[in-house]
Amino acid sequence: MDLLNLVSGLLGWRRAQAAGRALSAQLAANRNAFKADLVRAREDAGLSREDVAERLGVSVEHIARFEDPKANPRLQMICSYAHAIGAIVAFDVRPFEGDKVAKQAG
């Protein structure tokens, strides 16, 4: 392999690494915004954590853990929580296009 091919390969790898980090950052930002939207919907509905816990038959601590931005709840819990607060959850999947997608999501 000549030096030009080696350098070209390394540059491609570095771009791929940077794109992977950007995608991970965007996914984390989207997850955090989604969780914040759920909490805001609960608050807008005039419901406390206690109200939601009672509706779901779980502890208030369970709801607090669910609402923690670091939590990674299962899809079923997300849907149950949304139902309990009178909200719907809509999903969309689109290709990651760097800054273009970040601006659309924000």
Side-chain angles (χ1 to χ4, degrees):
M1 177 181 273
D2 67 4
L3 185 57
L4 183 58
N5 286 337
L6 178 62
V7 170
S8 177
L10 288 174
L11 289 175
W13 178 81
R14 289 182 68 86
R15 279 191 297 273
Q17 291 291 315
R21 283 191 298 275
L23 175 57
S24 293
Q26 185 64 55
L27 290 170
N30 288 355
R31 183 190 65 232
N32 292 341
F34 174 74
K35 293 286 286 295
D37 288 347
L38 281 172
V39 173
R40 191 170 21 264
R42 172 183 61 77
E43 293 167 345
D44 289 349
L47 298 170
S48 67
R49 286 180 174 171
E50 291 80 7
D51 296 328
V52 177
E54 184 177 323
R55 289 178 180 195
L56 293 176
V58 299
S59 69
V60 175
E61 292 78 17
H62 187 84
I63 299 302
R65 283 192 306 271
F66 171 86
E67 291 182 350
D68 183 328
K70 297 176 199 159
N72 189 16
R74 292 179 181 217
L75 181 57
Q76 181 58 46
M77 181 58 187
I78 293 168
C79 293
S80 295
Y81 180 96
H83 185 268
I85 64 172
I88 61 168
V89 176
F91 302 94
D92 72 333
V93 177
R94 57 187 177 266
F96 177 69
E97 297 177 13
D99 289 338
K100 180 179 175 184
V101 173
K103 289 176 185 169
Q104 288 174 352

